[in-house]
Amino acid sequence: MERIPILRMGNLLLVTIQVDMHDRLALTLQDDLMASISVNGARGVIIDISAMDMVDSFIGRMIADIAGMARILDAETVVVGMQPAVAITLVELGLSLDGVRTALDLERGMTYLREALAVDEPEAADGVGED
């Protein structure tokens, strides 16, 4: 069975989609990602779609659904690397991806998530803990 790798980096998960996404693979990714968030206690998810040239309405909805499910599991999702053609297609399909944070590239996505998580966990961010 074909799967998309999910890499763990501390409390973040990184998913880089490097293959043509089809409906079954998207559903498998959704299940695998939710299980990985739960098992690892991940607080953030980055989905890199820079290799995707196009998306259909199902894949667009899956991205929004994944972000919504991750949020319920207390993890924030950032979609990075969206190609202009993909953005145009999503808008033309009427998919606004409400609640999905986007960033132009992986570096900006990582920066956003680290800052967002630091706001949630101020003691960890400034290195000050209770002794």
Side-chain angles (χ1 to χ4, degrees):
M1 175 188 265
E2 188 178 21
R3 293 190 182 279
I4 295 175
I6 300 171
L7 305 175
R8 181 176 176 208
M9 301 181 315
N11 60 354
L12 304 178
L13 298 176
L14 173 63
V15 177
T16 301
I17 301 172
Q18 298 288 322
V19 296
D20 287 333
M21 184 68 98
H22 51 80
D23 296 357
R24 186 172 190 84
L25 184 58
L27 290 170
T28 300
L29 173 62
Q30 176 184 286
D31 292 344
D32 290 350
L33 196 48
M34 294 310 115
S36 188
I37 290 169
S38 180
V39 168
N40 295 307
R43 299 291 321 280
V45 176
I46 296 176
I47 301 174
D48 178 9
I49 63 169
S50 59
M52 295 178 70
D53 295 331
M54 58 189 312
V55 295
D56 60 18
S57 61
F58 182 81
I59 301 301
R61 273 197 320 275
M62 288 301 299
I63 291 171
D65 289 350
I66 286 172
M69 291 176 198
R71 200 170 28 256
I72 290 171
L73 293 174
D74 196 26
E76 187 152 351
T77 302
V78 178
V79 176
V80 303
M82 187 178 300
Q83 300 294 323
V86 171
I88 291 167
T89 300
L90 290 174
V91 170
E92 288 177 349
L93 291 171
L95 297 172
S96 61
L97 299 182
D98 291 333
V100 177
R101 180 74 184 193
T102 59
L104 286 178
D105 55 38
L106 180 58
E107 185 175 350
R108 289 180 187 189
M110 294 278 293
T111 299
Y112 169 76
L113 270 182
R114 287 190 171 132
E115 289 174 359
L117 296 177
V119 169
D120 288 347
E121 300 170 5
E123 293 173 6
D126 58 12
V128 178
E130 294 181 25
D131 291 324

